[in-house]
Amino acid sequence: MVVLGIDPGYAIVGYGIVTYSACGYKALGSGAILTEADIPFEDRLKTIYDSMNELIEKVKPDAISVESLYFQNNQKTAIKVAEARGVILLCAKLAGVPVYEYTPLQVKTAVTGYGKAKKPQVMEMTKRLLKLCKMPRFDDTCDALAVAICHIHANGSKARRILNSRTGTAPR
């Protein structure tokens, strides 16, 4: 199973491509879609749309996992991120790839085992699980990798069967 994890945004859209086998998690690639701050917002959305379509076509993921939005203060930022997220979801739908959404709490729990883990803890565990030599350049990219790990962990299908076969536990 190839999972494309997405950390939505409108300045930076982080993405991470992760798979799982008996050898554990493996990062197949990661990066970020960047938009220029000095161009009209609708052009930024078009950049995200075009880049997401290219990425999905290139990766051909079995699933796309997206972090759900969580904002405490800035409503203007929340609305713009929600609009960019809508573009991302549209790209997935048009490509026929199923989308799975996870809250920050679910991602933290899947990656660290603790839902109130701080960002550095999530980043470090993501690095360890994927056996990365160094952290990705953007935090958003690391978050996207964590979202992909979360889906593999939560999906319970292939990954769960592999883990259960190691321990002799029957699937639920």
Side-chain angles (χ1 to χ4, degrees), residues 111-112 118-130 135 142:
V111 174
T112 69
K118 302 292 182 203
K119 190 170 209 60
Q121 293 169 304
V122 176
M123 292 175 75
E124 181 60 30
M125 281 304 298
T126 299
K127 180 182 165 191
R128 286 182 185 196
L129 287 169
L130 295 172
M135 295 299 241
C142 193

Side-chain angles (χ1 to χ4, degrees), residues 89-163:
L89 297 177
L90 175 63
C91 291
K93 180 66 175 177
L94 292 175
V97 181
V99 175
Y100 301 87
E101 300 177 49
Y102 299 96
T103 65
L105 177 72
Q106 289 172 308
V107 174
K108 290 174 183 181
T109 302
V111 174
T112 69
Y114 179 58
K116 294 183 181 180
K118 302 292 182 203
K119 190 170 209 60
Q121 293 169 304
V122 176
M123 292 175 75
E124 181 60 30
M125 281 304 298
T126 299
K127 180 182 165 191
R128 286 182 185 196
L129 287 169
L130 295 172
K131 300 172 186 77
L132 301 175
C133 296
K134 61 180 184 171
M135 295 299 241
R137 178 176 171 205
F138 298 105
D139 288 357
D140 309 80
T141 301
C142 193
D143 291 347
L145 289 165
V147 173
I149 290 169
C150 178
H151 177 67
I152 292 170
H153 183 79
N155 186 32
S157 59
K158 188 175 182 182
R160 181 75 58 213
R161 284 193 301 271
I162 290 168
L163 290 172

Side-chain angles (χ1 to χ4, degrees), residues 29-44:
S30 63
I33 298 168
L34 307 174
T35 66
E36 298 175 33
D38 59 346
I39 64 172
F41 184 69
E42 57 273 16
D43 291 339
R44 294 174 92 172

Side-chain angles (χ1 to χ4, degrees), residues 1-8 13-18 52-53 55-57 59-67 85 87-102 144 147-148 150-152:
M1 173 191 339
V2 175
V3 178
L4 174 58
I6 302 290
D7 182 30
V13 176
Y15 67 85
I17 307 147
V18 177
M52 277 301 302
N53 282 327
L55 182 61
I56 292 169
E57 177 62 31
V59 173
K60 299 190 183 334
D62 299 304
I64 295 176
S65 58
V66 181
E67 188 169 46
R85 191 172 180 278
V87 168
I88 293 163
L89 297 177
L90 175 63
C91 291
K93 180 66 175 177
L94 292 175
V97 181
V99 175
Y100 301 87
E101 300 177 49
Y102 299 96
V147 173
C150 178
H151 177 67
I152 292 170

